Every structure is written in structure tokens, then in C-alpha cells.
């Protein structure tokens, strides 16, 4: 970490303005509405607060899809760009905090670090909604975040030398995490809560926020096999088991490995502690409610919950868990990728209390 006086937080992206105009989910913010295209797409009520639309085999919330199409059609990547990618609820917030703290470690002091006063989503911009306004004036190398499936990315990302870091997680824990997150979102947007069973069924059908998860994960996995020097594939469970080891891997891939002196001085541990769930969750900034997307209220606190491996055990019965595992195995079997399955650790399985 920096030892000189801390400079201003000049590496932060422009802050999003709250948008209080009348909701028009297909409008996006300063981007084309793609109304004609969008009107032809299959839609589903899903289990999120807004309608889901199926575009090129994936389901997107209607307030995000215009941004995704815009990204696909107009985003121009620079070779030095670094993309943090994930299926939602797989550890994106943590990855953003770790990447930001690592790349800026000589810029900020711990005592006055931007992560103590800014949510990680305000430190690294998400480009799925109105990318242009979010990346304006960003210095190089830019670190950007997206949940966009690999197949939908613009050729300027897929065909360039930019680096991509993808984090995945056991689909059962993703589903549970998403259910909590969504109900919190529904509550803050005054929408009736959704039952776990209904959410589970739709998740298994792939009808969910950026779903289906199996295609999302598989596309990035296969790309990481094709181009390991350009796509780093991380697993949330492995990061929890060995945060320091995975942070070093991340730093190396980002082109800023920790020096022996930094390791000796405990910089790796400092970053791990700064970005830990316990630390971030208890910061005042992450307890406050904020708007971070147009027309939908996101609550910063909803990004920090338990951060445990196997929380699905508290919410799914064994039949559900085996069913979801079976779907995942059928979709990704034979690819060399595994996502935690009941069989891996079922000695600790217990029926959830009803
Ligand atoms: P749980 O709901 O299982 O607790 P995302 O950031 O992709 O939305 O993922 C959210 C999940 O990551 C939540 O999981 C959340 O608690 C967990 N998480 C958030 N910040 C974390 C951190 N700093 N370390 C570990 N896990 C974190």
C-alpha cells in the first residue's frame, strides 16, 4: 500500500446521477431504445422485479437489455482494458474490490482508501447500462465490469488482447443468493416477494437474470481453455478457501504481481482484509440505500450477505439440490469444468427447516 500522503480519489469513474424521470425501461439512459427489436423478443415475468426478455439465448431484465445491445453494437475496447465478468451473485462485488485495491495499491493509503467510503460498484463501472457515460475520461488501463455473456460481447473485446477475469460459483449458492437479493430488491421497489419454490423452478429453466447460468459459465470456461493467457477463470469457493493465493494469481494476471518485498511487508494480507466481506459489509457506505441503475432502486447492503459456501443447504431440500446438480452436470459434463455438487460434500447435508 502507498506510504506517501494519499492523493485524491482520481481513479474513480464518474458518479452516476440519480434518474428521477418517468420510468421507460426500454429507454436506457442516453442510449438508443432498440424499441422495435425489443418488441419482437420473447418475454417472461420471471422472478425479478421487472420483466425478463430473451435475447440471443439469454434472459435480461428489460431495463438492462438496451444497454447490452448498445454494448454489443458500439463498445470499442482498448487492448489494455481489463474486464471483470461473472454471472450475477457469483462474487462480482468481491472481485471488483480486490481488483481495484490491487491495481491501485501504490496510489492509496489504507487509512484513507476509497473502498472505505465508496461501494466497490462505484469504484469499477459496470458497462451493461449506458457504458459511454460510465467510462468517460477513464485513464488507461481501464477496469470494467459486466455480466454480459461471452457470446454477446462485441468483437472488439472477443477478438482483442484485452484480459478477462471471470468468477463462477456453485449454481445452488448462486440461486439462493439471487433469491435473497431479488426479494430485497422487490421489497425496496415495493413489489410483492417471490416464493423460493417458484424462483427455484424458473432458475432450473434458465429463466432468470442473465440466465441460463450453465451457458454463461460454460462460454467463459471454454474461452479460458482456448486463451488462458487472456481469460482467467476463478471459482468463488477457491477464493474463499485461499484468498491470498487467489489474489496473487489475480495480480499476476492483471500485470501487477506482488513483489517479494510487498509480500514480506504483508500487502497481500492487507488487501485481503480490506476487501473481506466482514470489513465491507460493516462500512457505513455499504449500509446506505442508493440508486445505481436507472429506474430501479438498488440497496448497497444487498450486495453483502453471508458469503458462505453451501448456504443452499439451509434453503433447498436434497431433491432440489440433486435436480439442479443434475441439470448443471448434463450441461457442462465432459468439459472439464465442475461446479460444486451435493456429492462433493454431502456428509454435511441436512434438511432445511421448513
Ligand atoms: P451470499 O448471498 O451467498 O452471501 P455478487 O457480488 O456477484 O452480487 O455476489 C454476491 C455474493 O457475494 C453474496 O453471497 C455476498 O454476500 C458475497 N460477497 C459480497 N462481498 C463479498 C466479499 N467481500 N467477500 C466474499 N463474499 C462476498
Amino acid at each position: 500500500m502507498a506510504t506517501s500522503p494519499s492523493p485524491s480519489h482520481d481513479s474513480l469513474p464518474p458518479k452516476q446521477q440519480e434518474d428521477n424521470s418517468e420510468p421507460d425501461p426500454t429507454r436506457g439512459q442516453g442510449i438508443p431504445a432498440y424499441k422495435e427489436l425489443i418488441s419482437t423478443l420473447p418475454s417472461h415475468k420471471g422472478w425479478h422485479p421487472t420483466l425478463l426478455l430473451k435475447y440471443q439465448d439469454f434472459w435480461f431484465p428489460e431495463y438492462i437489455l438496451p444497454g447490452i445491445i448498445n454494448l454489443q453494437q458500439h463498445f470499442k475496447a482498448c487492448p489494455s482494458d481489463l474486464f471483470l465478468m461473472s454471472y450475477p451473485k457469483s462474487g462480482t462485488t468481491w472481485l471488483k474490490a480486490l481488483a481495484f485495491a490491487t491495481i491501485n495499491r501504490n496510489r492509496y493509503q489504507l487509512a484513507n482508501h476509497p473502498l472505505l467510503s465508496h461501494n466497490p460498484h462505484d469504484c469499477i463501472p459496470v458497462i451493461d447500462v449506458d457504458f459511454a457515460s460510465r467510462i468517460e475520461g477513464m485513464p488507461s488501463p481501464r477496469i470494467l465490469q459486466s455480466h454480459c455473456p461471452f457470446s454477446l460481447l462485441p468483437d472488439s473485446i472477443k477478438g482483442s488482447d484485452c484480459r478477462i477475469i471471470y468468477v463462477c460459483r456453485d449454481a445452488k449458492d448462486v440461486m439462493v443468493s439471487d433469491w435473497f437479493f431479488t426479494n430485497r430488491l422487490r421489497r425496496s421497489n415495493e413489489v410483492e416477494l417471490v416464493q423460493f419454490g417458484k424462483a427455484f423452478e424458473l432458475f432450473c429453466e434458465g429463466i432468470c437474470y442473465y440466465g441460463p447460468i450453465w451457458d454463461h459459465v460454460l462460454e467463459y470456461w471454454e474461452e479460458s481453455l482456448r486463451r488462458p493467457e487472456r481469460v482467467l477463470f476463478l471459482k468463488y469457493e477457491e477464493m474463499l478457501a485461499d484468498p491470498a493465493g487467489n489474489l496473487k494469481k489475480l495480480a499476476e494476471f492483471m500485470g501487477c504481481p506482488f513483489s517479494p518485498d510487498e509480500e514480506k511487508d504483508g500487502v497481500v494480507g492487507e488487501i485481503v482484509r480490506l476487501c473481506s466481506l466482514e470489513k465491507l459489509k460493516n462500512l457505513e457506505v455499504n449500509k446506505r440505500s442508493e440508486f445505481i441503475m436507472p429506474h430501479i432502486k438498488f440497496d448497497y447492503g444487498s450486495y453483502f450477505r453471508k458469503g458462505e459456501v453451501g448456504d443452499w443447504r439451509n434453503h433447498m431440500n436434497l431433491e432440489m439440490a440433486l435436480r439442479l446438480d443434475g441439470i448443471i452436470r448434463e450441461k457442462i459434463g465432459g468439459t472439464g469444468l465442475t461446479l460444486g455438487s451435493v456429492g462433493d460434500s454431502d456428509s454435511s447435508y441436512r434438511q432445511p427447516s421448513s
Side-chain angles (χ1 to χ4, degrees):
M1 289 288 181
T3 48
S4 55
S6 185
S8 63
H9 297 164
D10 54 1
S11 63
L12 298 179
K15 178 99 178 123
Q16 289 304 293
Q17 298 300 313
E18 200 172 296
D19 185 345
N20 293 321
S21 57
E22 276 301 297
D24 175 359
T26 61
R27 184 175 60 83
Q29 260 192 340
I31 55 174
Y34 302 107
K35 272 189 175 153
E36 209 170 309
L37 166 62
I38 284 177
S39 68
T40 63
L41 299 175
S43 66
H44 198 288
K45 253 184 97 190
W47 48 295
H48 292 87
T50 64
L51 202 65
L52 292 177
L53 300 167
K54 192 174 192 185
Y55 175 67
Q56 298 188 354
D57 298 328
F58 288 90
W59 289 95
F60 299 93
E62 60 179 346
Y63 65 94
I64 286 183
L65 185 58
I68 290 284
I69 301 172
N70 195 45
L71 177 78
Q72 189 182 37
Q73 298 190 354
H74 300 293
F75 184 85
K76 295 277 171 285
C78 305
S80 57
D81 285 347
L82 222 145
F83 294 91
L84 308 181
M85 304 299 209
S86 58
Y87 185 84
K89 314 326 292 171
S90 300
T92 323
T93 314
W94 189 18
L95 180 62
K96 287 174 91 160
L98 290 169
F100 181 83
T102 301
I103 206 144
N104 290 304
R105 64 186 183 270
N106 294 321
R107 186 191 284 255
Y108 301 122
Q109 288 182 311
L110 261 188
N112 188 24
H113 202 282
L115 281 169
L116 300 176
S117 51
H118 295 73
N119 179 275
H121 294 283
D122 285 338
C123 295
I124 292 182
V126 55
I127 52 172
D128 295 4
V129 180
D130 191 15
F131 71 81
S133 74
R134 297 193 172 214
I135 63 176
E136 211 175 348
M138 271 184 88
S140 171
R142 302 183 299 190
I143 309 188
L144 307 168
Q145 180 249 315
S146 169
H147 293 307
C148 187
F150 185 79
S151 55
L152 271 74
L153 291 176
D155 288 342
S156 78
I157 299 180
K158 284 192 287 196
S160 80
D161 277 345
C162 348
R163 279 160 297 169
I164 295 176
I165 300 166
Y166 186 82
V167 61
C168 79
R169 187 181 187 189
D170 181 344
K172 301 188 292 305
D173 283 337
V174 169
M175 192 267 136
V176 167
S177 180
D178 200 0
W179 179 67
F180 275 102
F181 178 79
T182 300
N183 269 344
R184 199 159 162 163
L185 209 61
R186 290 175 82 100
R187 205 173 290 118
S188 20
N189 288 277
E190 292 167 21
V191 182
E192 195 191 335
L193 302 192
V194 67
Q195 295 297 313
F196 187 81
K198 180 180 176 194
F200 179 82
E201 283 303 320
L202 289 167
F203 192 85
C204 288
E205 288 174 46
I207 305 174
C208 43
Y209 208 60
Y210 292 87
I213 185 172
W214 43 86
D215 288 335
H216 201 288
V217 175
L218 194 54
E219 286 185 358
Y220 280 98
W221 170 250
E222 288 178 337
E223 191 60 17
S224 76
L225 296 181
R226 267 192 296 273
R227 297 193 305 144
E229 71 294 348
R230 291 288 147 205
V231 184
L232 176 67
F233 195 90
L234 298 173
K235 290 185 173 176
Y236 180 80
E237 293 77 9
E238 292 177 2
M239 290 169 66
L240 277 182
D242 178 14
N246 278 276
L247 179 60
K248 287 195 256 176
K249 205 196 289 187
L250 181 71
E252 188 137 352
F253 184 81
M254 290 186 357
C256 52
F258 292 101
S259 69
D261 279 351
E262 283 181 310
E263 291 208 31
K264 194 157 59 66
D265 292 346
V267 176
V268 176
E270 276 176 7
I271 293 179
V272 167
R273 279 189 295 280
L274 172 68
C275 300
S276 68
L277 179 62
E278 199 189 6
K279 178 78 184 176
L280 297 181
K281 186 178 179 168
N282 292 310
L283 294 171
E284 213 38 56
V285 61
N286 293 328
K287 292 182 186 165
R288 284 203 322 257
S289 273
E290 295 269 350
F291 277 100
I292 57 172
M293 290 282 185
H295 312 310
I296 191 149
K297 223 184 214 174
F298 275 71
D299 158 12
Y300 280 165
S302 59
Y303 287 98
F304 309 96
R305 199 178 61 92
K306 284 169 103 175
E308 284 175 6
V309 176
D311 188 38
W312 59 266
R313 289 184 177 83
N314 299 313
H315 305 281
M316 285 182 197
N317 60 35
L318 186 56
E319 190 187 334
M320 290 167 123
L322 290 172
R323 179 172 156 210
L324 183 48
D325 276 351
I327 294 171
I328 298 289
R329 209 175 311 114
E330 189 189 313
K331 306 286 182 183
I332 70 171
T335 64
L337 174 63
T338 51
L339 292 179
S341 68
V342 178
D344 298 339
S345 55
D346 59 358
S347 57
S348 58
Y349 181 77
R350 59 186 166 78
Q351 289 286 343
S353 47
S354 48

Short mmCIF file of all heavy atoms in Angstrom, two decimals, residues 86-94 121 147 169 173 177 236 240 275-277 280 303-308 311, ligand 1:
data_model
loop_
_atom_site.label_atom_id
_atom_site.label_comp_id
_atom_site.label_asym_id
_atom_site.label_seq_id
_atom_site.Cartn_x
_atom_site.Cartn_y
_atom_site.Cartn_z
N SER A 86 -18.86 -12.03 -14.74
CA SER A 86 -19.44 -13.03 -13.83
C SER A 86 -20.91 -13.21 -14.16
O SER A 86 -21.54 -12.33 -14.76
CB SER A 86 -19.33 -12.56 -12.38
OG SER A 86 -20.01 -11.32 -12.25
N TYR A 87 -21.43 -14.32 -13.71
CA TYR A 87 -22.87 -14.48 -13.63
C TYR A 87 -23.27 -13.79 -12.32
O TYR A 87 -22.55 -13.94 -11.32
CB TYR A 87 -23.24 -15.98 -13.60
CG TYR A 87 -24.72 -16.19 -13.64
CD1 TYR A 87 -25.40 -16.20 -14.85
CD2 TYR A 87 -25.45 -16.32 -12.46
CE1 TYR A 87 -26.77 -16.34 -14.88
CE2 TYR A 87 -26.82 -16.46 -12.49
CZ TYR A 87 -27.47 -16.48 -13.71
OH TYR A 87 -28.83 -16.60 -13.74
N PRO A 88 -24.37 -13.02 -12.29
CA PRO A 88 -24.72 -12.31 -11.05
C PRO A 88 -24.77 -13.23 -9.82
O PRO A 88 -25.18 -14.38 -9.93
CB PRO A 88 -26.11 -11.74 -11.36
CG PRO A 88 -26.18 -11.66 -12.84
CD PRO A 88 -25.33 -12.79 -13.37
N LYS A 89 -24.35 -12.71 -8.72
CA LYS A 89 -24.33 -13.36 -7.39
C LYS A 89 -23.23 -14.42 -7.27
O LYS A 89 -23.30 -15.34 -6.45
CB LYS A 89 -25.69 -14.00 -7.02
CG LYS A 89 -26.92 -13.17 -7.23
CD LYS A 89 -26.76 -11.72 -7.02
CE LYS A 89 -26.51 -11.27 -5.62
NZ LYS A 89 -26.16 -9.80 -5.60
N SER A 90 -22.19 -14.27 -8.06
CA SER A 90 -21.08 -15.24 -8.02
C SER A 90 -19.85 -14.69 -7.34
O SER A 90 -18.81 -15.35 -7.31
CB SER A 90 -20.72 -15.64 -9.46
OG SER A 90 -21.82 -16.23 -10.10
N GLY A 91 -19.92 -13.46 -6.82
CA GLY A 91 -18.76 -12.87 -6.16
C GLY A 91 -18.20 -11.66 -6.90
O GLY A 91 -17.04 -11.28 -6.69
N THR A 92 -19.03 -11.03 -7.72
CA THR A 92 -18.63 -9.87 -8.51
C THR A 92 -18.11 -8.73 -7.63
O THR A 92 -17.07 -8.12 -7.92
CB THR A 92 -19.85 -9.34 -9.30
OG1 THR A 92 -20.63 -10.44 -9.74
CG2 THR A 92 -19.43 -8.47 -10.46
N THR A 93 -18.87 -8.42 -6.59
CA THR A 93 -18.54 -7.28 -5.73
C THR A 93 -17.16 -7.48 -5.10
O THR A 93 -16.34 -6.56 -5.02
CB THR A 93 -19.61 -7.13 -4.63
OG1 THR A 93 -20.90 -7.24 -5.23
CG2 THR A 93 -19.49 -5.81 -3.90
N TRP A 94 -16.92 -8.70 -4.67
CA TRP A 94 -15.63 -9.03 -4.05
C TRP A 94 -14.50 -8.91 -5.08
O TRP A 94 -13.46 -8.29 -4.81
CB TRP A 94 -15.70 -10.46 -3.50
CG TRP A 94 -14.56 -10.89 -2.66
CD1 TRP A 94 -13.64 -10.08 -2.03
CD2 TRP A 94 -14.20 -12.23 -2.32
NE1 TRP A 94 -12.74 -10.84 -1.34
CE2 TRP A 94 -13.07 -12.17 -1.50
CE3 TRP A 94 -14.73 -13.48 -2.64
CZ2 TRP A 94 -12.45 -13.31 -0.99
CZ3 TRP A 94 -14.13 -14.62 -2.13
CH2 TRP A 94 -13.00 -14.54 -1.31
N HIS A 121 -18.94 -1.10 -6.45
CA HIS A 121 -19.59 -0.86 -7.75
C HIS A 121 -19.41 0.58 -8.21
O HIS A 121 -19.60 0.88 -9.38
CB HIS A 121 -21.07 -1.25 -7.69
CG HIS A 121 -21.25 -2.73 -7.51
ND1 HIS A 121 -21.09 -3.62 -8.53
CD2 HIS A 121 -21.51 -3.46 -6.40
CE1 HIS A 121 -21.26 -4.86 -8.07
NE2 HIS A 121 -21.52 -4.78 -6.77
N HIS A 147 -21.83 -8.34 -16.69
CA HIS A 147 -22.38 -9.70 -16.57
C HIS A 147 -22.71 -10.24 -17.97
O HIS A 147 -23.35 -11.28 -18.10
CB HIS A 147 -23.68 -9.70 -15.75
CG HIS A 147 -23.51 -9.35 -14.30
ND1 HIS A 147 -22.63 -10.00 -13.48
CD2 HIS A 147 -24.15 -8.44 -13.52
CE1 HIS A 147 -22.73 -9.50 -12.24
NE2 HIS A 147 -23.64 -8.54 -12.26
N ARG A 169 -19.42 -19.69 -9.49
CA ARG A 169 -19.79 -20.19 -8.16
C ARG A 169 -20.78 -21.32 -8.30
O ARG A 169 -21.53 -21.38 -9.30
CB ARG A 169 -20.43 -19.00 -7.40
CG ARG A 169 -20.73 -19.25 -5.96
CD ARG A 169 -21.37 -18.04 -5.31
NE ARG A 169 -21.51 -18.23 -3.88
CZ ARG A 169 -22.18 -17.42 -3.07
NH1 ARG A 169 -22.78 -16.34 -3.56
NH2 ARG A 169 -22.26 -17.66 -1.79
N ASP A 173 -25.69 -22.18 -4.67
CA ASP A 173 -25.47 -20.99 -3.83
C ASP A 173 -25.81 -19.71 -4.59
O ASP A 173 -26.30 -18.74 -4.00
CB ASP A 173 -24.02 -20.95 -3.35
CG ASP A 173 -23.77 -21.92 -2.20
OD1 ASP A 173 -24.75 -22.28 -1.51
OD2 ASP A 173 -22.61 -22.33 -1.99
N SER A 177 -28.50 -17.06 -3.24
CA SER A 177 -28.05 -15.67 -3.10
C SER A 177 -28.94 -14.74 -3.92
O SER A 177 -29.35 -13.67 -3.47
CB SER A 177 -26.59 -15.57 -3.58
OG SER A 177 -26.12 -14.27 -3.45
N TYR A 236 -15.34 -18.92 -6.87
CA TYR A 236 -15.61 -18.24 -5.60
C TYR A 236 -15.20 -19.11 -4.42
O TYR A 236 -14.57 -18.63 -3.47
CB TYR A 236 -17.12 -17.93 -5.55
CG TYR A 236 -17.60 -17.21 -4.30
CD1 TYR A 236 -17.43 -15.84 -4.17
CD2 TYR A 236 -18.26 -17.90 -3.29
CE1 TYR A 236 -17.89 -15.17 -3.04
CE2 TYR A 236 -18.72 -17.25 -2.16
CZ TYR A 236 -18.54 -15.88 -2.04
OH TYR A 236 -19.00 -15.24 -0.92
N LEU A 240 -12.48 -18.22 -1.48
CA LEU A 240 -12.75 -18.20 -0.04
C LEU A 240 -11.77 -19.10 0.71
O LEU A 240 -11.32 -18.75 1.81
CB LEU A 240 -14.18 -18.70 0.25
CG LEU A 240 -15.32 -17.70 0.12
CD1 LEU A 240 -16.64 -18.38 0.49
CD2 LEU A 240 -15.12 -16.48 1.01
N CYS A 275 -10.77 -6.04 1.69
CA CYS A 275 -11.86 -6.46 0.78
C CYS A 275 -12.72 -7.57 1.36
O CYS A 275 -13.60 -8.09 0.66
CB CYS A 275 -11.28 -6.92 -0.56
SG CYS A 275 -10.34 -5.64 -1.39
N SER A 276 -12.48 -7.93 2.60
CA SER A 276 -13.25 -9.04 3.16
C SER A 276 -14.71 -8.63 3.33
O SER A 276 -15.04 -7.45 3.49
CB SER A 276 -12.67 -9.47 4.50
OG SER A 276 -12.89 -8.44 5.45
N LEU A 277 -15.56 -9.64 3.30
CA LEU A 277 -17.00 -9.39 3.46
C LEU A 277 -17.27 -8.66 4.78
O LEU A 277 -18.03 -7.70 4.84
CB LEU A 277 -17.74 -10.73 3.41
CG LEU A 277 -19.26 -10.66 3.58
CD1 LEU A 277 -19.90 -9.86 2.48
CD2 LEU A 277 -19.86 -12.05 3.62
N LEU A 280 -16.19 -4.92 4.46
CA LEU A 280 -17.00 -4.10 3.56
C LEU A 280 -18.45 -4.00 4.04
O LEU A 280 -19.06 -2.93 3.99
CB LEU A 280 -16.97 -4.68 2.13
CG LEU A 280 -15.60 -4.70 1.44
CD1 LEU A 280 -15.71 -5.26 0.03
CD2 LEU A 280 -14.97 -3.30 1.37
N TYR A 303 -25.66 -6.31 -1.55
CA TYR A 303 -24.52 -6.99 -2.17
C TYR A 303 -23.69 -7.77 -1.15
O TYR A 303 -22.76 -8.48 -1.52
CB TYR A 303 -23.61 -5.98 -2.88
CG TYR A 303 -24.24 -5.47 -4.14
CD1 TYR A 303 -24.90 -4.25 -4.17
CD2 TYR A 303 -24.22 -6.24 -5.30
CE1 TYR A 303 -25.51 -3.80 -5.32
CE2 TYR A 303 -24.83 -5.80 -6.46
CZ TYR A 303 -25.47 -4.57 -6.46
OH TYR A 303 -26.07 -4.13 -7.60
N PHE A 304 -24.00 -7.59 0.13
CA PHE A 304 -23.21 -8.25 1.18
C PHE A 304 -24.15 -9.03 2.09
O PHE A 304 -24.98 -8.43 2.76
CB PHE A 304 -22.45 -7.20 2.01
CG PHE A 304 -21.66 -6.22 1.16
CD1 PHE A 304 -22.19 -4.99 0.81
CD2 PHE A 304 -20.40 -6.56 0.71
CE1 PHE A 304 -21.47 -4.11 0.02
CE2 PHE A 304 -19.67 -5.68 -0.09
CZ PHE A 304 -20.21 -4.45 -0.42
N ARG A 305 -24.01 -10.34 2.09
CA ARG A 305 -24.90 -11.13 2.94
C ARG A 305 -24.06 -12.06 3.78
O ARG A 305 -23.38 -11.64 4.69
CB ARG A 305 -25.95 -11.87 2.06
CG ARG A 305 -27.18 -12.34 2.79
CD ARG A 305 -28.17 -13.01 1.85
NE ARG A 305 -27.61 -14.19 1.20
CZ ARG A 305 -27.70 -15.44 1.65
NH1 ARG A 305 -28.39 -15.67 2.75
NH2 ARG A 305 -27.16 -16.45 1.01
N LYS A 306 -24.01 -13.37 3.43
CA LYS A 306 -23.27 -14.32 4.26
C LYS A 306 -21.91 -14.69 3.69
O LYS A 306 -20.97 -14.95 4.42
CB LYS A 306 -24.09 -15.61 4.41
CG LYS A 306 -25.25 -15.52 5.36
CD LYS A 306 -26.12 -16.74 5.22
CE LYS A 306 -25.92 -17.72 6.34
NZ LYS A 306 -26.89 -18.85 6.23
N GLY A 307 -21.85 -14.80 2.38
CA GLY A 307 -20.61 -15.15 1.71
C GLY A 307 -20.08 -16.51 2.12
O GLY A 307 -18.89 -16.67 2.39
N GLU A 308 -20.98 -17.50 2.18
CA GLU A 308 -20.57 -18.84 2.62
C GLU A 308 -20.69 -19.84 1.48
O GLU A 308 -21.52 -19.68 0.60
CB GLU A 308 -21.49 -19.31 3.75
CG GLU A 308 -21.18 -18.65 5.06
CD GLU A 308 -22.18 -19.04 6.14
OE1 GLU A 308 -23.04 -19.92 5.90
OE2 GLU A 308 -22.08 -18.44 7.22
N ASP A 311 -24.53 -22.44 1.49
CA ASP A 311 -25.72 -21.90 2.16
C ASP A 311 -27.00 -22.50 1.57
O ASP A 311 -28.05 -22.47 2.20
CB ASP A 311 -25.72 -20.36 2.04
CG ASP A 311 -26.82 -19.73 2.87
OD1 ASP A 311 -27.08 -20.24 3.98
OD2 ASP A 311 -27.46 -18.76 2.41
P1 LIG B 1 -24.41 -14.57 -0.46
O1 LIG B 1 -25.73 -14.01 -0.85
O2 LIG B 1 -24.34 -16.06 -0.61
O3 LIG B 1 -23.96 -14.15 0.90
P2 LIG B 1 -22.29 -10.53 -6.40
O4 LIG B 1 -21.27 -9.60 -5.88
O5 LIG B 1 -21.88 -11.23 -7.68
O6 LIG B 1 -23.63 -9.89 -6.49
O7 LIG B 1 -22.40 -11.73 -5.37
C1 LIG B 1 -22.96 -11.52 -4.09
C2 LIG B 1 -22.50 -12.64 -3.19
O8 LIG B 1 -21.11 -12.42 -2.86
C3 LIG B 1 -23.25 -12.64 -1.88
O9 LIG B 1 -23.30 -14.01 -1.47
C4 LIG B 1 -22.36 -11.80 -0.99
O10 LIG B 1 -22.55 -12.00 0.38
C5 LIG B 1 -20.98 -12.26 -1.45
N1 LIG B 1 -19.94 -11.24 -1.19
C6 LIG B 1 -20.04 -9.90 -1.34
N2 LIG B 1 -18.90 -9.30 -0.98
C7 LIG B 1 -18.06 -10.28 -0.61
C8 LIG B 1 -16.72 -10.28 -0.11
N3 LIG B 1 -16.07 -9.15 0.08
N4 LIG B 1 -16.15 -11.47 0.18
C9 LIG B 1 -16.84 -12.63 -0.01
N5 LIG B 1 -18.10 -12.69 -0.46
C10 LIG B 1 -18.71 -11.53 -0.76
#
